[in-house]
Amino acid sequence: MEKNRIEELLETVRINELLEKKAAANAKKPANIILWCLAVFGAIAAVATIAFLVFNYMMPEYEDDFDYDDDDFDDFDDDDFVDLDLEK
């Protein structure tokens, strides 16, 4: 009788250990989901950054074509305008 009782006790201990391991594994699942979401988001961000850099390399901005010093408004003085003061 003692032998059966000891075997039952050992079996119960093993079952409890397995249940604790399973509970610990289930507790980590939300962290795994968050980790996977962050990994996917990081991969998408990396691909988007590389695409942006390649686009900027392939399509350079030609700022040299625009002449900033050529302002038409600087050519006129105040004397060039007609004074339309009709009250004189």
Side-chain angles (χ1 to χ4, degrees):
M1 199 89 138
E2 287 291 322
K3 195 168 193 178
N4 270 346
R5 180 105 171 124
I6 293 174
E7 287 177 8
E8 282 182 28
L9 186 60
L10 288 175
E11 188 175 331
T12 306
V13 169
R14 286 186 201 134
I15 290 174
N16 284 337
E17 287 176 357
L18 290 175
L19 289 175
E20 286 176 10
K21 286 181 184 179
K22 187 174 182 181
N26 286 338
K28 290 183 179 181
K29 280 192 177 186
N32 276 343
I33 293 171
I34 293 171
L35 183 66
W36 276 103
C37 290
L38 290 175
V40 168
F41 180 75
I44 291 171
V47 169
T49 302
I50 291 171
F52 176 75
L53 292 174
V54 168
F55 176 76
N56 278 343
Y57 179 75
M58 297 301 238
M59 298 293 208
E61 294 179 15
Y62 296 108
E63 292 181 4
D64 297 336
D65 292 344
F66 186 74
D67 190 13
Y68 290 103
D69 295 332
D70 189 25
D71 291 335
D72 293 334
F73 301 110
D74 292 340
D75 296 339
F76 296 106
D77 292 330
D78 289 338
D79 299 335
D80 294 337
F81 294 105
V82 177
D83 187 20
L84 294 175
D85 192 13
L86 299 175
E87 293 181 8
K88 287 186 181 180

Coordinates of all heavy atoms in Angstrom, one line a residue:
M1 N 0.8 -1.2 0.0 CA 0.0 0.0 0.0 C 0.9 1.3 0.0 O 0.5 2.2 -0.7 CB -0.9 -0.1 1.3 CG -2.0 0.8 1.2 SD -3.5 0.1 0.6 CE -4.7 0.6 1.5
E2 N 1.9 1.2 0.8 CA 2.8 2.4 0.8 C 3.5 2.7 -0.5 O 3.7 3.8 -0.9 CB 3.9 2.1 1.9 CG 3.5 2.2 3.3 CD 3.1 3.6 3.7 OE1 3.8 4.5 3.3 OE2 2.2 3.7 4.4
K3 N 3.7 1.6 -1.3 CA 4.4 1.8 -2.6 C 3.4 2.5 -3.5 O 3.8 3.3 -4.3 CB 4.8 0.4 -3.1 CG 5.7 0.5 -4.2 CD 6.3 -0.9 -4.5 CE 7.5 -0.7 -5.4 NZ 8.2 -1.9 -5.7
N4 N 2.2 2.1 -3.5 CA 1.2 2.8 -4.4 C 1.0 4.2 -4.0 O 0.9 5.1 -4.9 CB -0.2 2.1 -4.3 CG -0.4 1.0 -5.3 OD1 0.4 0.9 -6.2 ND2 -1.4 0.1 -5.0
R5 N 1.0 4.5 -2.8 CA 0.9 5.9 -2.3 C 2.1 6.7 -2.7 O 1.9 7.8 -3.1 CB 0.8 5.8 -0.8 CG 0.6 7.2 -0.1 CD -0.8 7.3 0.3 NE -0.9 8.6 1.1 CZ -1.7 9.5 0.8 NH1 -2.5 9.4 -0.2 NH2 -1.8 10.6 1.5
I6 N 3.3 6.2 -2.6 CA 4.5 6.9 -3.1 C 4.4 7.1 -4.6 O 4.8 8.2 -5.0 CB 5.7 6.1 -2.6 CG1 5.8 6.1 -1.1 CG2 7.0 6.7 -3.2 CD1 7.0 5.3 -0.5
E7 N 4.0 6.1 -5.3 CA 4.0 6.3 -6.8 C 2.9 7.3 -7.2 O 3.1 8.1 -8.1 CB 3.6 4.9 -7.4 CG 4.7 3.9 -7.4 CD 4.3 2.6 -8.0 OE1 3.2 2.5 -8.5 OE2 5.2 1.7 -7.9
E8 N 1.8 7.3 -6.5 CA 0.8 8.4 -6.7 C 1.3 9.8 -6.4 O 1.1 10.7 -7.2 CB -0.5 8.1 -5.9 CG -1.3 7.0 -6.4 CD -2.6 6.9 -5.6 OE1 -3.0 7.8 -4.9 OE2 -3.1 5.7 -5.5
L9 N 2.1 9.9 -5.3 CA 2.6 11.1 -5.0 C 3.6 11.6 -6.0 O 3.6 12.8 -6.4 CB 3.3 11.0 -3.6 CG 3.8 12.3 -3.0 CD1 2.7 13.3 -2.8 CD2 4.5 12.0 -1.6
L10 N 4.5 10.7 -6.5 CA 5.5 11.1 -7.5 C 4.8 11.5 -8.8 O 5.2 12.4 -9.5 CB 6.5 9.9 -7.7 CG 7.5 9.7 -6.6 CD1 8.3 8.4 -6.9 CD2 8.4 10.9 -6.5
E11 N 3.8 10.8 -9.2 CA 3.0 11.1 -10.4 C 2.4 12.4 -10.3 O 2.4 13.2 -11.2 CB 2.0 10.0 -10.6 CG 1.3 10.1 -12.0 CD 0.3 9.0 -12.2 OE1 0.6 7.9 -11.7 OE2 -0.6 9.3 -13.0
T12 N 1.8 12.7 -9.1 CA 1.2 14.1 -8.9 C 2.2 15.2 -9.0 O 2.0 16.2 -9.6 CB 0.5 14.1 -7.5 OG1 -0.4 13.0 -7.4 CG2 -0.2 15.4 -7.3
V13 N 3.4 14.9 -8.4 CA 4.5 15.9 -8.5 C 4.9 16.1 -10.0 O 5.1 17.3 -10.4 CB 5.7 15.5 -7.6 CG1 6.9 16.3 -7.9 CG2 5.3 15.5 -6.2
R14 N 5.0 15.1 -10.7 CA 5.4 15.2 -12.2 C 4.3 16.0 -12.9 O 4.6 16.8 -13.8 CB 5.6 13.8 -12.8 CG 6.8 13.2 -12.4 CD 7.1 11.9 -13.1 NE 8.0 11.0 -12.4 CZ 7.8 9.8 -12.1 NH1 6.7 9.1 -12.6 NH2 8.7 9.1 -11.4
I15 N 3.1 15.7 -12.6 CA 2.0 16.4 -13.3 C 2.0 17.9 -13.0 O 1.8 18.7 -13.8 CB 0.6 15.7 -13.0 CG1 0.5 14.3 -13.6 CG2 -0.6 16.6 -13.4 CD1 -0.7 13.6 -13.2
N16 N 2.2 18.2 -11.7 CA 2.3 19.6 -11.3 C 3.4 20.3 -12.0 O 3.3 21.5 -12.4 CB 2.4 19.7 -9.8 CG 1.1 19.4 -9.1 OD1 0.0 19.6 -9.7 ND2 1.2 19.0 -7.8
E17 N 4.6 19.6 -12.1 CA 5.7 20.2 -12.8 C 5.4 20.5 -14.2 O 5.7 21.6 -14.8 CB 6.9 19.3 -12.7 CG 7.6 19.3 -11.3 CD 8.7 18.3 -11.2 OE1 9.0 17.6 -12.2 OE2 9.4 18.2 -10.1
L18 N 4.7 19.6 -14.9 CA 4.3 19.8 -16.3 C 3.3 20.9 -16.4 O 3.4 21.7 -17.4 CB 3.8 18.5 -16.9 CG 4.7 17.3 -17.1 CD1 4.0 16.1 -17.6 CD2 5.8 17.7 -18.2
L19 N 2.4 21.0 -15.5 CA 1.4 22.1 -15.6 C 2.1 23.4 -15.3 O 1.7 24.4 -16.0 CB 0.3 21.8 -14.5 CG -0.7 20.7 -14.9 CD1 -1.6 20.5 -13.7 CD2 -1.4 21.0 -16.2
E20 N 3.1 23.5 -14.5 CA 3.8 24.8 -14.2 C 4.6 25.2 -15.5 O 4.6 26.4 -15.8 CB 4.7 24.6 -13.0 CG 4.0 24.6 -11.7 CD 4.9 24.3 -10.5 OE1 6.2 24.4 -10.7 OE2 4.5 24.1 -9.4
K21 N 5.2 24.2 -16.1 CA 5.9 24.5 -17.4 C 5.0 25.0 -18.4 O 5.3 26.0 -19.2 CB 6.7 23.3 -17.9 CG 7.9 22.9 -17.0 CD 8.6 21.7 -17.6 CE 9.8 21.3 -16.7 NZ 10.4 20.1 -17.3
K22 N 3.8 24.4 -18.5 CA 2.9 24.8 -19.5 C 2.3 26.2 -19.2 O 2.2 27.1 -20.1 CB 1.7 23.8 -19.6 CG 0.7 24.1 -20.7 CD -0.3 23.0 -20.8 CE -1.2 23.3 -22.0 NZ -2.3 22.3 -22.1
A23 N 2.1 26.5 -18.0 CA 1.6 27.8 -17.5 C 2.7 28.9 -17.8 O 2.4 30.0 -18.3 CB 1.3 27.8 -16.1
A24 N 4.0 28.5 -17.6 CA 5.1 29.5 -17.9 C 5.2 29.7 -19.4 O 5.5 30.8 -19.8 CB 6.4 28.9 -17.3
A25 N 5.0 28.7 -20.2 CA 5.1 28.9 -21.6 C 3.9 29.7 -22.1 O 4.1 30.5 -23.0 CB 5.0 27.5 -22.3
N26 N 2.7 29.6 -21.6 CA 1.6 30.4 -22.0 C 1.7 31.8 -21.5 O 1.2 32.7 -22.1 CB 0.3 29.8 -21.4 CG -0.1 28.6 -22.1 OD1 0.3 28.3 -23.3 ND2 -1.0 27.7 -21.5
A27 N 2.4 32.1 -20.4 CA 2.7 33.4 -19.9 C 3.6 34.2 -20.9 O 3.5 35.4 -21.0 CB 3.2 33.4 -18.5
K28 N 4.4 33.5 -21.6 CA 5.4 34.2 -22.5 C 4.7 34.5 -23.9 O 5.3 35.2 -24.6 CB 6.6 33.3 -22.7 CG 7.5 33.2 -21.5 CD 8.7 32.4 -21.8 CE 9.6 32.3 -20.6 NZ 10.8 31.6 -20.9
K29 N 3.6 34.0 -24.2 CA 3.0 34.2 -25.5 C 2.7 35.6 -25.8 O 3.0 36.0 -26.9 CB 1.7 33.3 -25.6 CG 2.0 31.9 -26.0 CD 0.8 31.1 -26.4 CE 1.2 29.7 -26.7 NZ 0.2 29.0 -27.3
P30 N 2.1 36.4 -25.0 CA 1.9 37.8 -25.3 C 3.2 38.6 -25.6 O 3.3 39.4 -26.5 CB 1.2 38.4 -24.1 CG 0.5 37.3 -23.5 CD 1.5 36.1 -23.7
A31 N 4.3 38.3 -24.9 CA 5.6 38.9 -25.2 C 6.1 38.5 -26.6 O 6.7 39.3 -27.3 CB 6.6 38.5 -24.1
N32 N 5.9 37.2 -26.9 CA 6.3 36.7 -28.2 C 5.5 37.5 -29.3 O 6.1 37.8 -30.4 CB 6.1 35.2 -28.4 CG 7.2 34.5 -27.8 OD1 8.3 35.0 -27.6 ND2 7.0 33.2 -27.6
I33 N 4.2 37.7 -29.1 CA 3.4 38.3 -30.1 C 3.9 39.8 -30.3 O 4.0 40.3 -31.4 CB 1.9 38.3 -29.7 CG1 1.4 36.8 -29.8 CG2 1.1 39.2 -30.6 CD1 0.0 36.6 -29.2
I34 N 4.1 40.5 -29.2 CA 4.6 41.8 -29.3 C 6.0 41.9 -30.0 O 6.3 42.7 -30.8 CB 4.7 42.5 -27.9 CG1 3.3 42.6 -27.3 CG2 5.4 43.8 -27.9 CD1 3.2 43.0 -25.9
L35 N 6.8 40.9 -29.6 CA 8.2 40.9 -30.2 C 8.1 40.7 -31.7 O 8.8 41.3 -32.5 CB 9.0 39.7 -29.6 CG 10.4 39.6 -30.1 CD1 11.2 40.8 -29.7 CD2 11.0 38.3 -29.5
W36 N 7.2 39.8 -32.2 CA 7.0 39.5 -33.6 C 6.4 40.8 -34.3 O 6.9 41.1 -35.4 CB 6.1 38.3 -33.9 CG 6.9 37.0 -33.8 CD1 6.9 36.1 -32.8 CD2 7.7 36.5 -34.8 NE1 7.7 35.1 -33.1 CE2 8.3 35.3 -34.4 CE3 8.1 37.0 -36.1 CZ2 9.1 34.6 -35.1 CZ3 9.0 36.2 -36.8 CH2 9.5 35.0 -36.4
C37 N 5.5 41.4 -33.7 CA 4.9 42.7 -34.3 C 6.0 43.7 -34.4 O 6.1 44.4 -35.5 CB 3.8 43.2 -33.4 SG 2.3 42.2 -33.5
L38 N 6.8 43.9 -33.4 CA 7.9 44.9 -33.5 C 8.9 44.5 -34.6 O 9.5 45.4 -35.3 CB 8.6 45.0 -32.1 CG 7.8 45.8 -31.1 CD1 8.5 45.7 -29.8 CD2 7.4 47.2 -31.5
A39 N 9.2 43.2 -34.7 CA 10.1 42.8 -35.7 C 9.6 43.0 -37.1 O 10.3 43.5 -38.0 CB 10.4 41.3 -35.6
V40 N 8.3 42.8 -37.3 CA 7.7 43.0 -38.7 C 7.7 44.5 -38.9 O 8.0 45.0 -40.0 CB 6.3 42.5 -38.7 CG1 5.5 42.9 -39.9 CG2 6.4 40.9 -38.7
F41 N 7.4 45.3 -37.9 CA 7.4 46.8 -38.1 C 8.8 47.3 -38.4 O 8.9 48.2 -39.3 CB 6.8 47.5 -36.8 CG 6.8 48.9 -36.9 CD1 5.8 49.6 -37.7 CD2 7.7 49.7 -36.2 CE1 5.8 51.0 -37.7 CE2 7.7 51.1 -36.3 CZ 6.7 51.7 -37.1
G42 N 9.8 46.8 -37.8 CA 11.1 47.2 -38.0 C 11.6 46.8 -39.4 O 12.3 47.6 -40.1
A43 N 11.2 45.6 -39.9 CA 11.5 45.2 -41.2 C 10.9 46.1 -42.3 O 11.5 46.5 -43.3 CB 11.1 43.7 -41.4
I44 N 9.6 46.4 -42.1 CA 8.9 47.3 -43.0 C 9.6 48.7 -43.0 O 9.8 49.3 -44.1 CB 7.4 47.4 -42.6 CG1 6.8 46.1 -43.0 CG2 6.7 48.5 -43.4 CD1 5.3 46.0 -42.4
A45 N 10.0 49.2 -41.8 CA 10.6 50.5 -41.7 C 12.0 50.5 -42.4 O 12.4 51.5 -43.1 CB 10.8 50.9 -40.3
A46 N 12.7 49.4 -42.3 CA 14.0 49.3 -43.0 C 13.8 49.3 -44.5 O 14.6 49.9 -45.2 CB 14.7 48.0 -42.5
V47 N 12.9 48.5 -45.0 CA 12.7 48.5 -46.4 C 12.2 49.8 -46.9 O 12.7 50.3 -48.0 CB 11.6 47.4 -46.8 CG1 11.2 47.5 -48.2 CG2 12.2 46.0 -46.5
A48 N 11.4 50.5 -46.2 CA 10.9 51.9 -46.6 C 12.1 52.8 -46.6 O 12.2 53.7 -47.6 CB 9.8 52.3 -45.7
T49 N 12.9 52.8 -45.7 CA 14.1 53.7 -45.6 C 15.0 53.4 -46.8 O 15.5 54.4 -47.4 CB 14.8 53.5 -44.3 OG1 13.9 53.8 -43.2 CG2 16.0 54.4 -44.2
I50 N 15.3 52.2 -47.1 CA 16.1 51.8 -48.2 C 15.5 52.3 -49.5 O 16.2 52.9 -50.4 CB 16.4 50.3 -48.2 CG1 17.3 50.0 -47.0 CG2 17.1 49.9 -49.5 CD1 17.5 48.5 -46.8
A51 N 14.2 52.1 -49.7 CA 13.5 52.6 -50.9 C 13.6 54.1 -51.0 O 13.8 54.6 -52.1 CB 12.1 52.1 -50.9
F52 N 13.4 54.8 -49.9 CA 13.5 56.3 -50.0 C 14.9 56.7 -50.3 O 15.1 57.6 -51.2 CB 13.2 56.8 -48.6 CG 13.3 58.3 -48.5 CD1 12.4 59.1 -49.1 CD2 14.4 58.8 -47.7 CE1 12.5 60.5 -48.9 CE2 14.5 60.2 -47.6 CZ 13.6 61.0 -48.2
L53 N 16.0 56.1 -49.8 CA 17.3 56.5 -50.1 C 17.7 56.1 -51.6 O 18.3 56.9 -52.2 CB 18.3 55.8 -49.2 CG 18.2 56.2 -47.7 CD1 19.1 55.4 -46.8 CD2 18.6 57.7 -47.6
V54 N 17.2 55.0 -52.1 CA 17.5 54.7 -53.5 C 16.7 55.7 -54.4 O 17.3 56.1 -55.4 CB 17.0 53.2 -53.8 CG1 17.0 52.9 -55.3 CG2 18.0 52.3 -53.1
F55 N 15.5 56.0 -54.0 CA 14.8 57.0 -54.8 C 15.5 58.4 -54.9 O 15.6 59.0 -55.9 CB 13.3 57.2 -54.3 CG 12.6 58.2 -55.0 CD1 12.0 58.0 -56.2 CD2 12.4 59.5 -54.4 CE1 11.3 59.0 -56.8 CE2 11.7 60.5 -55.0 CZ 11.1 60.2 -56.3
N56 N 16.0 58.8 -53.7 CA 16.7 60.1 -53.7 C 18.0 60.0 -54.4 O 18.4 61.0 -55.0 CB 16.9 60.5 -52.2 CG 15.7 61.2 -51.6 OD1 14.8 61.6 -52.3 ND2 15.7 61.3 -50.3
Y57 N 18.6 58.9 -54.5 CA 19.9 58.7 -55.2 C 19.6 58.7 -56.7 O 20.3 59.3 -57.5 CB 20.6 57.4 -54.8 CG 21.8 57.2 -55.6 CD1 23.0 57.9 -55.3 CD2 21.9 56.3 -56.6 CE1 24.2 57.7 -55.9 CE2 23.1 56.0 -57.3 CZ 24.2 56.8 -57.0 OH 25.4 56.6 -57.6
M58 N 18.5 58.1 -57.1 CA 18.2 58.0 -58.5 C 17.6 59.3 -59.1 O 17.7 59.6 -60.2 CB 17.2 56.9 -58.8 CG 17.8 55.5 -58.5 SD 19.2 55.2 -59.4 CE 18.8 53.7 -60.2
M59 N 16.9 60.1 -58.2 CA 16.2 61.3 -58.6 C 16.8 62.5 -57.9 O 16.2 63.0 -56.9 CB 14.7 61.3 -58.4 CG 14.0 60.2 -59.1 SD 14.1 60.6 -60.8 CE 12.6 59.8 -61.4
P60 N 18.0 62.9 -58.3 CA 18.6 64.0 -57.5 C 17.9 65.3 -57.8 O 17.3 65.5 -58.9 CB 20.1 64.1 -58.1 CG 20.0 63.5 -59.4 CD 18.9 62.5 -59.4
E61 N 18.0 66.2 -56.9 CA 17.3 67.5 -57.0 C 18.3 68.4 -57.8 O 19.4 68.6 -57.4 CB 17.0 68.1 -55.7 CG 15.9 67.3 -54.9 CD 15.7 67.9 -53.6 OE1 16.0 69.1 -53.3 OE2 15.0 67.2 -52.8
Y62 N 17.8 69.1 -58.8 CA 18.7 69.9 -59.6 C 18.4 71.4 -59.2 O 17.8 72.1 -59.8 CB 18.3 69.7 -61.1 CG 18.7 68.4 -61.6 CD1 17.7 67.5 -61.9 CD2 20.0 68.0 -61.7 CE1 18.0 66.2 -62.4 CE2 20.3 66.7 -62.2 CZ 19.3 65.8 -62.5 OH 19.6 64.6 -63.0
E63 N 19.0 71.7 -58.1 CA 18.9 73.1 -57.6 C 19.8 74.0 -58.3 O 19.6 75.2 -58.3 CB 19.2 73.1 -56.1 CG 18.2 72.4 -55.3 CD 18.5 72.5 -53.8 OE1 19.4 73.2 -53.4 OE2 17.7 71.9 -53.0
D64 N 20.8 73.5 -59.0 CA 21.7 74.4 -59.8 C 21.0 75.0 -61.0 O 21.5 76.0 -61.5 CB 22.9 73.6 -60.3 CG 23.7 73.0 -59.1 OD1 23.6 73.6 -58.0 OD2 24.5 72.0 -59.3
D65 N 19.9 74.4 -61.5 CA 19.2 74.9 -62.6 C 18.4 76.2 -62.3 O 18.1 77.0 -63.2 CB 18.2 73.9 -63.2 CG 19.0 72.7 -63.8 OD1 20.2 72.8 -64.0 OD2 18.3 71.7 -64.0
F66 N 18.1 76.4 -61.1 CA 17.4 77.6 -60.7 C 18.3 78.7 -60.2 O 19.2 78.5 -59.4 CB 16.4 77.2 -59.6 CG 15.4 78.4 -59.2 CD1 14.4 78.7 -60.1 CD2 15.6 79.1 -58.1 CE1 13.5 79.7 -59.8 CE2 14.8 80.1 -57.8 CZ 13.7 80.4 -58.6
D67 N 18.1 79.9 -60.8 CA 19.0 81.0 -60.5 C 18.3 81.8 -59.4 O 17.3 82.5 -59.7 CB 19.3 81.8 -61.7 CG 20.4 82.8 -61.5 OD1 21.0 82.8 -60.4 OD2 20.5 83.7 -62.3
Y68 N 18.8 81.8 -58.2 CA 18.2 82.5 -57.1 C 18.5 84.0 -57.2 O 17.8 84.8 -56.6 CB 18.7 82.0 -55.8 CG 18.2 80.6 -55.4 CD1 19.0 79.5 -55.6 CD2 16.9 80.5 -55.0 CE1 18.5 78.3 -55.3 CE2 16.4 79.2 -54.7 CZ 17.3 78.1 -54.8 OH 16.8 76.9 -54.5
D69 N 19.5 84.4 -57.9 CA 19.9 85.8 -58.0 C 19.1 86.6 -59.0 O 19.2 87.8 -59.1 CB 21.4 86.0 -58.3 CG 22.2 85.4 -57.2 OD1 21.8 85.4 -56.0 OD2 23.4 84.9 -57.5
D70 N 18.4 85.9 -59.8 CA 17.6 86.6 -60.9 C 16.2 87.0 -60.4 O 15.2 86.3 -60.7 CB 17.5 85.7 -62.1 CG 17.0 86.4 -63.3 OD1 17.1 87.6 -63.4 OD2 16.4 85.7 -64.2
D71 N 16.2 88.0 -59.7 CA 14.9 88.5 -59.2 C 14.4 89.7 -60.1 O 15.2 90.7 -60.3 CB 14.9 89.0 -57.8 CG 15.1 87.8 -56.8 OD1 14.8 86.7 -57.2 OD2 15.7 88.0 -55.7
D72 N 13.2 89.6 -60.6 CA 12.7 90.7 -61.5 C 12.4 91.9 -60.7 O 12.3 93.0 -61.2 CB 11.5 90.2 -62.3 CG 11.9 89.2 -63.3 OD1 13.1 89.2 -63.7 OD2 11.1 88.4 -63.7
F73 N 12.1 91.8 -59.4 CA 11.7 92.9 -58.6 C 12.8 93.8 -58.2 O 12.6 95.0 -57.8 CB 11.0 92.4 -57.3 CG 9.8 91.5 -57.6 CD1 9.8 90.1 -57.4 CD2 8.6 92.0 -58.2 CE1 8.7 89.3 -57.7 CE2 7.5 91.3 -58.4 CZ 7.6 89.9 -58.2
D74 N 14.0 93.4 -58.3 CA 15.1 94.2 -57.9 C 15.5 95.2 -59.0 O 16.2 96.2 -58.8 CB 16.4 93.4 -57.6 CG 16.2 92.6 -56.4 OD1 15.4 92.9 -55.5 OD2 17.0 91.6 -56.2
D75 N 14.9 95.0 -60.2 CA 15.3 95.9 -61.3 C 14.5 97.2 -61.3 O 14.9 98.2 -61.9 CB 14.9 95.2 -62.7 CG 15.8 94.0 -62.9 OD1 16.8 93.9 -62.2 OD2 15.4 93.1 -63.7
F76 N 13.5 97.3 -60.5 CA 12.7 98.5 -60.4 C 13.0 99.3 -59.2 O 13.3 98.8 -58.1 CB 11.2 98.1 -60.4 CG 10.7 97.4 -61.6 CD1 10.4 96.1 -61.5 CD2 10.5 98.1 -62.8 CE1 9.9 95.4 -62.7 CE2 10.0 97.5 -63.9 CZ 9.8 96.1 -63.8
D77 N 13.0 100.7 -59.4 CA 13.1 101.6 -58.3 C 11.8 102.3 -58.0 O 10.8 102.1 -58.8 CB 14.2 102.7 -58.7 CG 15.6 102.1 -58.8 OD1 15.9 101.1 -58.1 OD2 16.4 102.6 -59.6
D78 N 11.7 103.0 -57.0 CA 10.5 103.7 -56.7 C 10.2 104.8 -57.7 O 9.1 105.2 -57.9 CB 10.6 104.3 -55.3 CG 10.5 103.2 -54.2 OD1 10.0 102.1 -54.5 OD2 10.9 103.5 -53.1
D79 N 11.3 105.3 -58.4 CA 11.1 106.4 -59.3 C 10.4 105.9 -60.6 O 9.9 106.6 -61.4 CB 12.4 107.0 -59.7 CG 13.1 107.7 -58.4 OD1 12.3 108.0 -57.5 OD2 14.3 107.8 -58.4
D80 N 10.5 104.6 -60.9 CA 9.9 104.0 -62.1 C 8.4 104.0 -62.1 O 7.8 103.8 -63.1 CB 10.5 102.6 -62.3 CG 12.0 102.6 -62.6 OD1 12.5 103.7 -63.0 OD2 12.6 101.6 -62.4
F81 N 7.8 104.0 -60.9 CA 6.4 103.9 -60.8 C 5.7 105.3 -60.9 O 6.3 106.3 -60.5 CB 6.0 103.3 -59.5 CG 6.4 101.9 -59.4 CD1 7.5 101.5 -58.6 CD2 5.7 100.9 -60.1 CE1 7.8 100.2 -58.5 CE2 6.1 99.6 -60.0 CZ 7.2 99.2 -59.2
V82 N 4.6 105.4 -61.6 CA 3.9 106.6 -61.7 C 3.1 106.9 -60.5 O 2.4 106.0 -60.0 CB 3.0 106.5 -63.0 CG1 2.1 107.8 -63.1 CG2 3.8 106.2 -64.2
D83 N 3.1 108.1 -60.0 CA 2.4 108.5 -58.8 C 0.9 108.9 -59.3 O 0.8 109.8 -60.0 CB 3.0 109.7 -58.1 CG 2.4 110.0 -56.8 OD1 1.7 109.1 -56.3 OD2 2.6 111.1 -56.3
L84 N 0.0 108.1 -58.9 CA -1.4 108.4 -59.3 C -2.2 109.1 -58.2 O -3.4 108.7 -57.9 CB -2.1 107.0 -59.7 CG -1.5 106.3 -60.9 CD1 -2.2 105.0 -61.1 CD2 -1.7 107.2 -62.1
D85 N -1.6 110.0 -57.6 CA -2.3 110.7 -56.5 C -3.2 111.8 -57.2 O -2.8 112.8 -57.8 CB -1.3 111.4 -55.6 CG -2.0 112.0 -54.4 OD1 -3.2 111.6 -54.1 OD2 -1.3 112.8 -53.7
L86 N -4.5 111.5 -57.3 CA -5.5 112.3 -58.0 C -6.0 113.5 -57.3 O -6.6 114.4 -57.8 CB -6.7 111.5 -58.4 CG -6.4 110.3 -59.3 CD1 -7.6 109.4 -59.5 CD2 -5.8 110.7 -60.6
E87 N -5.6 113.7 -56.0 CA -6.1 114.8 -55.2 C -5.2 116.1 -55.5 O -5.6 117.1 -55.0 CB -6.0 114.4 -53.8 CG -7.0 113.4 -53.4 CD -7.0 113.0 -51.9 OE1 -6.3 113.7 -51.2 OE2 -7.6 112.0 -51.6
K88 N -4.2 116.0 -56.2 CA -3.3 117.2 -56.4 C -3.9 118.2 -57.2 O -4.5 118.2 -58.2 CB -2.0 116.8 -56.9 CG -1.1 116.1 -55.9 CD 0.2 115.8 -56.6 CE 1.2 115.1 -55.6 NZ 2.4 114.9 -56.1

